[in-house]
Amino acid sequence: MNTLCSLDKLKEQVKNCNKCLLCEGRTKTVFSDGCEKAPIFFIGEAPGKNEDETGLPFVGRAGKLLRSFLDECGYKKEDFYIANTVKCRPPENRKPKPEEKEACRYYLDEQIKFVNPKIIVLVGSTALASFCDDKKLTISKARGKLFKKDGYNFFPVFHPSYLLRYHSMEENSPRYLFKKDLLEILGMIK
Ligand code: URA
């Protein structure tokens, strides 16, 4: 069985998943976007309204901002794969609860195993908390610093929804740091 076939099967399982209550409010499950052989795996928080409607991660306002930064930094389609800590939209865009992330974790762990990326980018504090043992560590402290765990390299970055509030590209501004981090990550795989 090849990887593609297995990920397709997993996606089918996700479509029928009712492991947590988020399944009750969803329009579509949001499995992934991008290249299944990519060296960089982005993990966001959760689907929002646009993602729930399309079944694709990071296609709303924050997603468009992320994708424009990736473009600007020179990321190609084959460089990355994107998923979230949960596959269904939480009501009113609240953060996913620990038990929802836990219920969905099997799918994410399988995706990571199949893709086997060189770097896992933790996009924002929710993704950071899912993989970092130090639960008190903030995204501001963690961003830009590579750490290793369970044989994988993790690299936390700001969440693009945070960047929607700050427009400056001045040195050390959130957008400046976000771009710097994305360039550093790309440099690690080239
Ligand atoms: N869209 C996603 O798919 N994930 C996020 O974390 C934010 C927007």
Side-chain angles (χ1 to χ4, degrees), residues 30 43-48 51 56-60 62-63 82-84 123 159-161:
V30 179
I43 302 179
E45 181 175 295
E51 290 79 12
L56 288 169
F58 282 105
V59 291
I82 314 184
N84 283 303
V123 184
H159 194 284
S161 63

PDB file of all heavy atoms in Angstrom, residues 30 43-48 51 56-60 62-63 82-84 123 159-161, ligand 1:
ATOM      1  N   VAL A  30     -12.268  19.116   7.221  1.00  0.00           N
ATOM      2  CA  VAL A  30     -11.135  19.794   6.578  1.00  0.00           C
ATOM      3  C   VAL A  30      -9.897  18.943   6.830  1.00  0.00           C
ATOM      4  O   VAL A  30      -9.326  18.961   7.920  1.00  0.00           O
ATOM      5  CB  VAL A  30     -10.979  21.222   7.156  1.00  0.00           C
ATOM      6  CG1 VAL A  30      -9.798  21.931   6.529  1.00  0.00           C
ATOM      7  CG2 VAL A  30     -12.263  22.019   6.939  1.00  0.00           C
ATOM      8  N   ILE A  43       0.864  23.107  10.739  1.00  0.00           N
ATOM      9  CA  ILE A  43      -0.298  22.715  11.547  1.00  0.00           C
ATOM     10  C   ILE A  43      -0.926  23.980  12.138  1.00  0.00           C
ATOM     11  O   ILE A  43      -0.303  24.688  12.938  1.00  0.00           O
ATOM     12  CB  ILE A  43       0.093  21.745  12.676  1.00  0.00           C
ATOM     13  CG1 ILE A  43       0.755  20.488  12.074  1.00  0.00           C
ATOM     14  CG2 ILE A  43      -1.143  21.364  13.504  1.00  0.00           C
ATOM     15  CD1 ILE A  43       1.204  19.472  13.098  1.00  0.00           C
ATOM     16  N   GLY A  44      -2.158  24.260  11.707  1.00  0.00           N
ATOM     17  CA  GLY A  44      -2.883  25.416  12.232  1.00  0.00           C
ATOM     18  C   GLY A  44      -3.784  25.015  13.392  1.00  0.00           C
ATOM     19  O   GLY A  44      -3.655  23.921  13.958  1.00  0.00           O
ATOM     20  N   GLU A  45      -4.703  25.908  13.723  1.00  0.00           N
ATOM     21  CA  GLU A  45      -5.562  25.679  14.889  1.00  0.00           C
ATOM     22  C   GLU A  45      -6.783  24.826  14.525  1.00  0.00           C
ATOM     23  O   GLU A  45      -6.898  23.674  14.945  1.00  0.00           O
ATOM     24  CB  GLU A  45      -5.997  27.029  15.454  1.00  0.00           C
ATOM     25  CG  GLU A  45      -6.863  26.920  16.684  1.00  0.00           C
ATOM     26  CD  GLU A  45      -7.160  28.293  17.264  1.00  0.00           C
ATOM     27  OE1 GLU A  45      -6.212  28.957  17.729  1.00  0.00           O
ATOM     28  OE2 GLU A  45      -8.327  28.709  17.261  1.00  0.00           O
ATOM     29  N   ALA A  46      -7.676  25.405  13.756  1.00  0.00           N
ATOM     30  CA  ALA A  46      -8.952  24.740  13.454  1.00  0.00           C
ATOM     31  C   ALA A  46      -9.591  25.395  12.238  1.00  0.00           C
ATOM     32  O   ALA A  46      -9.331  26.571  11.953  1.00  0.00           O
ATOM     33  CB  ALA A  46      -9.898  24.872  14.649  1.00  0.00           C
ATOM     34  N   PRO A  47     -10.466  24.669  11.546  1.00  0.00           N
ATOM     35  CA  PRO A  47     -11.178  25.285  10.424  1.00  0.00           C
ATOM     36  C   PRO A  47     -12.085  26.416  10.904  1.00  0.00           C
ATOM     37  O   PRO A  47     -12.658  26.341  11.991  1.00  0.00           O
ATOM     38  CB  PRO A  47     -12.032  24.139   9.867  1.00  0.00           C
ATOM     39  CG  PRO A  47     -11.436  22.879  10.413  1.00  0.00           C
ATOM     40  CD  PRO A  47     -10.812  23.246  11.721  1.00  0.00           C
ATOM     41  N   GLY A  48     -12.198  27.445  10.085  1.00  0.00           N
ATOM     42  CA  GLY A  48     -13.170  28.519  10.316  1.00  0.00           C
ATOM     43  C   GLY A  48     -14.318  28.352   9.326  1.00  0.00           C
ATOM     44  O   GLY A  48     -14.473  27.295   8.705  1.00  0.00           O
ATOM     45  N   GLU A  51     -13.272  27.526   5.660  1.00  0.00           N
ATOM     46  CA  GLU A  51     -12.697  26.191   5.587  1.00  0.00           C
ATOM     47  C   GLU A  51     -13.807  25.137   5.696  1.00  0.00           C
ATOM     48  O   GLU A  51     -13.806  24.136   4.978  1.00  0.00           O
ATOM     49  CB  GLU A  51     -11.670  25.992   6.718  1.00  0.00           C
ATOM     50  CG  GLU A  51     -10.382  26.800   6.546  1.00  0.00           C
ATOM     51  CD  GLU A  51     -10.506  28.266   6.945  1.00  0.00           C
ATOM     52  OE1 GLU A  51     -11.519  28.640   7.569  1.00  0.00           O
ATOM     53  OE2 GLU A  51      -9.581  29.046   6.623  1.00  0.00           O
ATOM     54  N   LEU A  56     -11.226  22.925   2.795  1.00  0.00           N
ATOM     55  CA  LEU A  56      -9.776  23.162   2.652  1.00  0.00           C
ATOM     56  C   LEU A  56      -9.259  24.047   3.786  1.00  0.00           C
ATOM     57  O   LEU A  56      -9.938  25.018   4.170  1.00  0.00           O
ATOM     58  CB  LEU A  56      -9.478  23.858   1.325  1.00  0.00           C
ATOM     59  CG  LEU A  56      -9.644  22.991   0.078  1.00  0.00           C
ATOM     60  CD1 LEU A  56      -9.596  23.864  -1.166  1.00  0.00           C
ATOM     61  CD2 LEU A  56      -8.569  21.902   0.026  1.00  0.00           C
ATOM     62  N   PRO A  57      -8.061  23.759   4.313  1.00  0.00           N
ATOM     63  CA  PRO A  57      -7.521  24.589   5.394  1.00  0.00           C
ATOM     64  C   PRO A  57      -6.963  25.914   4.875  1.00  0.00           C
ATOM     65  O   PRO A  57      -6.498  26.003   3.736  1.00  0.00           O
ATOM     66  CB  PRO A  57      -6.387  23.727   5.963  1.00  0.00           C
ATOM     67  CG  PRO A  57      -5.944  22.878   4.830  1.00  0.00           C
ATOM     68  CD  PRO A  57      -7.168  22.648   3.969  1.00  0.00           C
ATOM     69  N   PHE A  58      -7.012  26.908   5.735  1.00  0.00           N
ATOM     70  CA  PHE A  58      -6.385  28.217   5.467  1.00  0.00           C
ATOM     71  C   PHE A  58      -6.812  28.816   4.124  1.00  0.00           C
ATOM     72  O   PHE A  58      -5.970  29.102   3.270  1.00  0.00           O
ATOM     73  CB  PHE A  58      -4.849  28.097   5.561  1.00  0.00           C
ATOM     74  CG  PHE A  58      -4.346  28.067   6.984  1.00  0.00           C
ATOM     75  CD1 PHE A  58      -3.910  26.882   7.572  1.00  0.00           C
ATOM     76  CD2 PHE A  58      -4.329  29.217   7.754  1.00  0.00           C
ATOM     77  CE1 PHE A  58      -3.464  26.847   8.891  1.00  0.00           C
ATOM     78  CE2 PHE A  58      -3.884  29.207   9.070  1.00  0.00           C
ATOM     79  CZ  PHE A  58      -3.454  28.017   9.630  1.00  0.00           C
ATOM     80  N   VAL A  59      -8.115  28.992   3.972  1.00  0.00           N
ATOM     81  CA  VAL A  59      -8.614  29.658   2.769  1.00  0.00           C
ATOM     82  C   VAL A  59      -9.387  30.947   3.098  1.00  0.00           C
ATOM     83  O   VAL A  59      -9.844  31.643   2.202  1.00  0.00           O
ATOM     84  CB  VAL A  59      -9.504  28.724   1.902  1.00  0.00           C
ATOM     85  CG1 VAL A  59      -8.671  27.619   1.278  1.00  0.00           C
ATOM     86  CG2 VAL A  59     -10.666  28.154   2.717  1.00  0.00           C
ATOM     87  N   GLY A  60      -9.565  31.242   4.400  1.00  0.00           N
ATOM     88  CA  GLY A  60     -10.244  32.475   4.812  1.00  0.00           C
ATOM     89  C   GLY A  60      -9.248  33.638   4.852  1.00  0.00           C
ATOM     90  O   GLY A  60      -8.187  33.587   4.223  1.00  0.00           O
ATOM     91  N   ALA A  62      -7.266  34.833   7.272  1.00  0.00           N
ATOM     92  CA  ALA A  62      -5.952  34.492   7.842  1.00  0.00           C
ATOM     93  C   ALA A  62      -5.197  33.572   6.880  1.00  0.00           C
ATOM     94  O   ALA A  62      -3.980  33.708   6.687  1.00  0.00           O
ATOM     95  CB  ALA A  62      -6.126  33.818   9.197  1.00  0.00           C
ATOM     96  N   GLY A  63      -5.927  32.657   6.285  1.00  0.00           N
ATOM     97  CA  GLY A  63      -5.307  31.705   5.357  1.00  0.00           C
ATOM     98  C   GLY A  63      -4.728  32.399   4.139  1.00  0.00           C
ATOM     99  O   GLY A  63      -3.624  32.085   3.690  1.00  0.00           O
ATOM    100  N   ILE A  82      -0.574  21.194   4.559  1.00  0.00           N
ATOM    101  CA  ILE A  82      -1.229  21.957   5.646  1.00  0.00           C
ATOM    102  C   ILE A  82      -2.371  21.158   6.244  1.00  0.00           C
ATOM    103  O   ILE A  82      -3.186  20.564   5.521  1.00  0.00           O
ATOM    104  CB  ILE A  82      -1.845  23.291   5.141  1.00  0.00           C
ATOM    105  CG1 ILE A  82      -0.875  24.064   4.245  1.00  0.00           C
ATOM    106  CG2 ILE A  82      -2.287  24.147   6.305  1.00  0.00           C
ATOM    107  CD1 ILE A  82      -1.414  25.434   3.806  1.00  0.00           C
ATOM    108  N   ALA A  83      -2.437  21.159   7.572  1.00  0.00           N
ATOM    109  CA  ALA A  83      -3.587  20.579   8.278  1.00  0.00           C
ATOM    110  C   ALA A  83      -3.800  21.388   9.564  1.00  0.00           C
ATOM    111  O   ALA A  83      -3.104  22.383   9.807  1.00  0.00           O
ATOM    112  CB  ALA A  83      -3.334  19.109   8.578  1.00  0.00           C
ATOM    113  N   ASN A  84      -4.750  20.961  10.362  1.00  0.00           N
ATOM    114  CA  ASN A  84      -5.068  21.662  11.620  1.00  0.00           C
ATOM    115  C   ASN A  84      -5.084  20.686  12.789  1.00  0.00           C
ATOM    116  O   ASN A  84      -5.098  19.472  12.597  1.00  0.00           O
ATOM    117  CB  ASN A  84      -6.454  22.304  11.503  1.00  0.00           C
ATOM    118  CG  ASN A  84      -6.447  23.577  10.681  1.00  0.00           C
ATOM    119  OD1 ASN A  84      -5.722  24.528  10.986  1.00  0.00           O
ATOM    120  ND2 ASN A  84      -7.248  23.596   9.628  1.00  0.00           N
ATOM    121  N   VAL A 123       1.667  26.547  13.807  1.00  0.00           N
ATOM    122  CA  VAL A 123       1.150  27.877  13.490  1.00  0.00           C
ATOM    123  C   VAL A 123       0.238  28.356  14.623  1.00  0.00           C
ATOM    124  O   VAL A 123      -0.933  27.976  14.709  1.00  0.00           O
ATOM    125  CB  VAL A 123       0.399  27.855  12.137  1.00  0.00           C
ATOM    126  CG1 VAL A 123      -0.045  29.263  11.763  1.00  0.00           C
ATOM    127  CG2 VAL A 123       1.265  27.259  11.039  1.00  0.00           C
ATOM    128  N   HIS A 159       0.477  32.958  14.544  1.00  0.00           N
ATOM    129  CA  HIS A 159      -0.689  32.610  13.728  1.00  0.00           C
ATOM    130  C   HIS A 159      -1.025  33.807  12.838  1.00  0.00           C
ATOM    131  O   HIS A 159      -0.988  34.951  13.300  1.00  0.00           O
ATOM    132  CB  HIS A 159      -1.883  32.264  14.639  1.00  0.00           C
ATOM    133  CG  HIS A 159      -2.979  31.578  13.895  1.00  0.00           C
ATOM    134  ND1 HIS A 159      -3.830  32.258  13.068  1.00  0.00           N
ATOM    135  CD2 HIS A 159      -3.321  30.271  13.809  1.00  0.00           C
ATOM    136  CE1 HIS A 159      -4.676  31.386  12.509  1.00  0.00           C
ATOM    137  NE2 HIS A 159      -4.387  30.172  12.951  1.00  0.00           N
ATOM    138  N   PRO A 160      -1.363  33.580  11.568  1.00  0.00           N
ATOM    139  CA  PRO A 160      -1.651  34.737  10.700  1.00  0.00           C
ATOM    140  C   PRO A 160      -2.843  35.567  11.160  1.00  0.00           C
ATOM    141  O   PRO A 160      -2.928  36.747  10.811  1.00  0.00           O
ATOM    142  CB  PRO A 160      -1.902  34.101   9.318  1.00  0.00           C
ATOM    143  CG  PRO A 160      -2.158  32.665   9.575  1.00  0.00           C
ATOM    144  CD  PRO A 160      -1.421  32.314  10.831  1.00  0.00           C
ATOM    145  N   SER A 161      -3.762  35.012  11.955  1.00  0.00           N
ATOM    146  CA  SER A 161      -4.891  35.839  12.419  1.00  0.00           C
ATOM    147  C   SER A 161      -4.384  36.935  13.367  1.00  0.00           C
ATOM    148  O   SER A 161      -4.958  38.020  13.446  1.00  0.00           O
ATOM    149  CB  SER A 161      -5.983  34.993  13.079  1.00  0.00           C
ATOM    150  OG  SER A 161      -5.475  34.386  14.217  1.00  0.00           O
TER     151      SER A 161
HETATM  152  N1  URA B   1      -7.814  28.380   8.890  1.00  0.00           N
HETATM  153  C1  URA B   1      -7.350  27.170   9.225  1.00  0.00           C
HETATM  154  O1  URA B   1      -7.525  26.197   8.496  1.00  0.00           O
HETATM  155  N2  URA B   1      -6.691  27.066  10.372  1.00  0.00           N
HETATM  156  C2  URA B   1      -6.458  28.073  11.164  1.00  0.00           C
HETATM  157  O2  URA B   1      -5.815  27.894  12.178  1.00  0.00           O
HETATM  158  C3  URA B   1      -6.974  29.332  10.801  1.00  0.00           C
HETATM  159  C4  URA B   1      -7.640  29.461   9.654  1.00  0.00           C
END
